[in-house]
Amino acid sequence: MAVAAVTTKPLDPTLHAPFPPMQPFAAPHPKKRLPAGRPREWYVAHNRRLKAMRLTIALLDSGVYQPSSASNRRIRRAAERLGMHRPSDLTCRMVRTLIRYGR
């Protein structure tokens, strides 16, 4: 019984190379000055929302897609990796809300 010989080109090695290591989280945009003349509460709320958004993006990038898996401990570890101050309980709650509606 005759067997046909099959010749194929070798696979492209770049297609099967392992993924490069992930870079540490970094802020993609430079910070801008906030507008003057607003009440202090506005600045506090604005900065809290920005922090929650950065933390949410970092968690989504790391594979956390469910609010139930985003514990305060996990959110605070992400903040450490980003070089942020420790987020409050309210900020952690905001992060979970953003994850819930960001899917």
Side-chain angles (χ1 to χ4, degrees), residues 18-79:
F19 290 110
M22 289 186 62
Q23 297 296 323
F25 298 113
H29 301 289
K31 292 184 179 181
K32 291 193 246 178
R33 293 181 60 90
L34 294 175
R38 307 259 176 141
R40 177 173 169 73
E41 294 80 26
W42 184 89
Y43 296 106
V44 171
H46 176 76
N47 287 330
R48 187 183 306 273
R49 285 190 302 266
L50 288 178
K51 185 176 196 174
M53 181 133 359
R54 284 194 299 269
L55 285 168
T56 302
I57 291 168
L59 287 169
L60 289 171
D61 286 346
S62 68
V64 177
Y65 301 114
Q66 298 294 324
S68 59
S69 62
S71 64
N72 286 357
R73 173 186 266 170
R74 180 174 266 179
I75 293 170
R76 288 177 177 141
R77 276 188 297 188

Side-chain angles (χ1 to χ4, degrees), residues 9-17:
K9 290 191 253 179
L11 294 174
D12 185 5
T14 58
L15 293 177
H16 300 288

